[in-house]
């Protein structure tokens, strides 16, 4: 839930409540969500990966599965235990629910003496996201700033986000492309969740430590059998997430990163990365914070009915900067530079936060394994080689 | 948050009252809301998104007089799909309009100072509301000068305004064209050359510049040569725009969203980007 519950969650976090739920009682959490009118969305096996879809029960979770990731590589693997959340992030992001890849904004009817424009009715959705990782939670809070934080509110995002319930999961292991620690975005979910689960598999026991982050979260938990024994909970969460933090497959040095990229507009590395980049836009589609979109105006055969559709777009496409007198960014250099400079530098100017949460998706899903952490170090290490910026 | 949030992505229907030709490829549309009520108030330099049925949106500055009650006015150069369709619209036709959007010219802030307006081509359209405002409050400003450059004498916009403005003794108007036949008695050459002709107090002058990016760059050079401070020079920038409210990302220019942080920028906000290619 967003803003309107702030006072509740503040009150709660003053004495943050932590409870224990046995694995066998997890179906009760699902039931409680359904009873409260939520649709449950979460990780499941599909398309040869762990993807986010609607879940019809605990059994839909990728139980006993994990993923192996590297640059341009993603592989599913069987675990030797029955963990429910023993993997990291896959190709999907929660933004596909909050900001659907393609949606109608309005329709219009032409008549002999007029034009009638009908707004697409936005129904407030009750989504419960289960399995939101710390980096993803942060990404959602970042997109909140884009779509809800300014003078104007995006009606599509608002209707899906307003009542969304966020059930975070602390990562018990890190992937080879993860670097949330560098981005101060994980591996522990600190705030912004309604509930946060830490999965524990130990000495034949299998249970969840559940942190309650909001009044709504508490309400959901009221119907889930749990024990209030909390003494060791905080220590256990810290131990588990500290172990995960040590496993980060990637690192990014973010010192002065905002000015680093501003000051290296003419760095030769942009040519180098452009010689590898296919400008395929995979990285932007997979990124949980990328928000760019375009619109398409269509008419039907009669010519009297028109619609405007909005869909995800990417700064990697040539058309993105089209103006009647020419494109602003024609070269691949300029487009990769725009993407990375926006993520790691301009985002601070625009929204007071980094645009990267270190989820590693852009590394895993880049067909040629371009690695944002590597590109940053290349620029950092070789700054003197950069020509002074022209003016 | 309430259900009644205004949807900034939804156009409202506006009826075309007049479609007047300015030059062979420029025309001016006067429109008013189909639903009863006045046109929204706007500030000089703001723009609207004009939608024509089934085709798409174009960002178009408001070119009318904000100090008078009059229909919403847009001066448009025929470019591609949307503007070609707009050119064909007859009185009575209906468009969809979203707006007004964007940061306006600092007309109020310029009170007590000399004001220079530098326009290239269609760039005069967003500056005209600024000129109207200056003239409606003439005694609040020092010297006022307009430098306006067009390709040929046939491309000059707003001839009757220009004639009227040139007839005033409290306003300097300099017009230049790139090429002209022998019957042209005015200046020939780039508009930036005109700036040296004006008299103004550089330490107390605000300059408003709108035109193609390259023209704005040279104008700034010339203004700086004339010792006008970077913080007193304002430019109106242009980029592809889809949403006009900071959602679509298309208009980004370095750290700026041109739609919501601009289109009018103080020169020192964009100085470091202007000389660079493919920003
Ligand atoms: C803030 C602002 C104010 C403007 N004010 C005026 C004005 O007062 N009068 C005027 O004639 N023109 C103005 N323009 C330029 C005008 O928006 C474009 O000429 C117009 O969008 C071209 O649309 P089209 O469909 O005819 O061209 P096409 O070439 O068919 O373009 C297709 C689409 O691309 C986008 N696009 C193309 N060129 C531009 C461009 N130069 N800027 C932004 N988006 C573009 C539009 O969404 C357009 O519908 C302004 C642009 C901006 C950004
Ligand atoms: S830039 Fe890459 S690592 Fe950073 S949030 Fe986006 S996809 Fe994840
Ligand atoms: S960085 Fe990789 S994923 Fe992104 S556009 Fe280039 S080739 Fe595609
Ligand atoms: S036009 Fe969409 S963000 Fe500026």
């Amino acid at each position: 839930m967003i803003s309107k519950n702030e006072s509740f969650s503040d009150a709660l976090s003053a004495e943050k409540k932590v409870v224990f739920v046995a694995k066998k009682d997890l179906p009760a959490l699902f039931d409680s969500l359904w009873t409260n009118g939520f649709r449950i969305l979460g990780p499941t096996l599909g398309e040869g990966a762990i993807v986010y879809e609607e879940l019809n029960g605990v059994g839909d979770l990728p139980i006993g599965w994990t993923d192996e990731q590297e640059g341009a590589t993603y592989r599913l693997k069987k675990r030797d235990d029955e963990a429910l959340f023993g993997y990291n992030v896959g190709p999907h992001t929660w933004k596909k629910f909050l900001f659907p890849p393609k949606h109608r904004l309005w329709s219009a009817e032409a008549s002999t003496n007029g034009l009638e424009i009908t707004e697409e009715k936005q129904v407030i959705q009750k989504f419960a996201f289960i399995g939101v990782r710390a980096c993803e939670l942060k990404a959602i809070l970042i997109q909140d700033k884009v779509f809800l934080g300014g003078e104007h509110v995006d009606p599509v995002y608002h209707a899906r986000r307003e009542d969304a319930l966020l059930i975070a999961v602390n990562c018990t292991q890190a992937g080879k492309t993860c670097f949330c620690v560098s981005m101060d975005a994980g591996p522990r979910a600190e705030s912004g969740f309604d509930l946060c689960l830490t999965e524990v598999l130990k000495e034949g026991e299998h249970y969840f430590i559940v942190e309650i982050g909001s009044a709504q979260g508490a309400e959901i938990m009221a119907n889930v059998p749990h024990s209030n024994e909390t003494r060791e909970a905080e220590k256990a969460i810290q131990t588990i997430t500290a172990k995960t933090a040590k496993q980060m497959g990637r690192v990014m040095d973010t010192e002065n990163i905002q000015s680093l990229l501003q000051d290296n507009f003419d760095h030769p590395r942009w040519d180098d990365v452009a010689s590898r980049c296919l400008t395929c836009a995979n990285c932007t589609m997979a990124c949980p914070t990328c928000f760019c979109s375009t619109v398409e105006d269509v008419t039907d055969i009669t010519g009297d009915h028109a619609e405007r559709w909005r869909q995800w777009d990417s700064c990697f496409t040539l058309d993105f900067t089209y103006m009647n007198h020419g494109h602003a960014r024609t070269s691949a250099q300029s487009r990769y530079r725009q993407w990375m400079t926006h993520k790691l530098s301009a985002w601070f100017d625009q929204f007071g936060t980094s645009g990267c949460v270190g989820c590693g998706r852009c590394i895993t899903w880049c067909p040629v394994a371009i690695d944002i952490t590597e590109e940053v170090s290349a620029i950092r290490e070789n700054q003197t080689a950069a020509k002074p910026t022209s003016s | 948050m309430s259900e009644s949030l205004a949807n900034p992505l939804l156009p409202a229907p506006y009826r075309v009252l007049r479609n007047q030709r300015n030059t062979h490829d420029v025309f001016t549309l006067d429109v008013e809301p189909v639903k009863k009520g006045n046109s929204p108030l706007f500030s000089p330099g703001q723009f609207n998104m004009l939608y024509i049925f089934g085709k798409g949106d174009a960002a178009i500055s408001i070119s009318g007089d904000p100090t008078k009650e009059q229909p919403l006015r847009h001066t448009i150069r025929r470019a591609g799909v949307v503007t070609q369709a707009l050119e064909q619209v007859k009185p009575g036709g209906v468009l969809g309009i979203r707006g007004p959007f964007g940061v306006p010219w600092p007309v109020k802030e310029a009170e007590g100072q000399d004001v220079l307006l530098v326009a290239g081509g269609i760039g005069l359209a967003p500056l005209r509301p600024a000129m109207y405002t200056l003239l409606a409050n003439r005694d609040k400003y020092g010297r006022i000068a307009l430098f306006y450059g067009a390709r040929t004498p046939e491309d000059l916009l707003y001839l009757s305004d220009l004639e009227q403005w040139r007839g005033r003794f409290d306003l300097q108007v300099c017009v230049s064209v790139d090429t002209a036949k022998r019957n042209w008695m005015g200046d020939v050459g780039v508009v930036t050359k005109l700036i040296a002709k004006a008299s103004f107090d550089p330490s107390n002058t605000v300059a408003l510049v709108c035109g193609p990016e390259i023209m704005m760059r040279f104008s700034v050079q010339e203004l700086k040569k004339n010792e006008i401070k970077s913080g007193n020079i304002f430019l109106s920038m242009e980029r592809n725009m889809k949403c006009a409210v900071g959602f679509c990302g298309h208009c980004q220019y370095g750290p700026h969203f041109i739609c919501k942080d601009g289109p009018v920028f103080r020169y020192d906000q964009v100085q470091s980007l202007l000389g660079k290619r493919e920003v």
Side-chain angles (χ1 to χ4, degrees), chain A residues 291 293, chain B residues 47 49 239-252 257-260:
Chain A
F291 57 84
S293 64
Chain B
F47 65 98
M49 296 299 278
R239 275 294 178 275
N240 181 298
M241 287 189 184
K242 292 295 170 213
C243 72
V245 288
F247 297 154
C248 78
H250 278 250
C251 69
Q252 287 181 85
F257 287 96
I258 289 184
C259 66
K260 63 171 186 174

Side-chain angles (χ1 to χ4, degrees), chain A residues 62-106:
Chain A
I63 301 170
W65 286 93
T66 193
D67 50 16
E68 279 183 347
Q69 306 197 31
E70 243 315 332
T73 306
Y74 181 99
R75 220 176 284 120
L76 285 175
K77 232 184 91 183
K78 260 319 224 172
R79 294 176 63 92
D80 49 20
D81 62 22
E82 292 292 293
L84 272 51
F85 297 101
Y87 39 86
N88 295 105
V89 296
H92 287 189
T93 62
W94 305 101
K95 81 176 175 186
K96 77 170 197 171
F97 301 114
L98 297 174
F99 186 63
K102 187 165 183 183
H103 50 272
R104 186 167 50 210
L105 290 176
W106 45 260

Side-chain angles (χ1 to χ4, degrees), chain A residues 277-283 316 336 365-368 370:
Chain A
C277 175
L278 313 172
T279 64
C280 67
N282 267 16
C283 49
F316 278 94
Y336 189 88
W365 298 98
C366 174
V368 293
I370 291 172

Side-chain angles (χ1 to χ4, degrees), chain A residues 263-284:
Chain A
D263 297 345
N264 284 283
F265 187 88
D266 291 319
H267 199 287
R269 185 70 182 189
W270 300 122
D271 292 343
D272 182 287
V273 66
S275 71
R276 290 170 280 136
C277 175
L278 313 172
T279 64
C280 67
N282 267 16
C283 49
T284 52

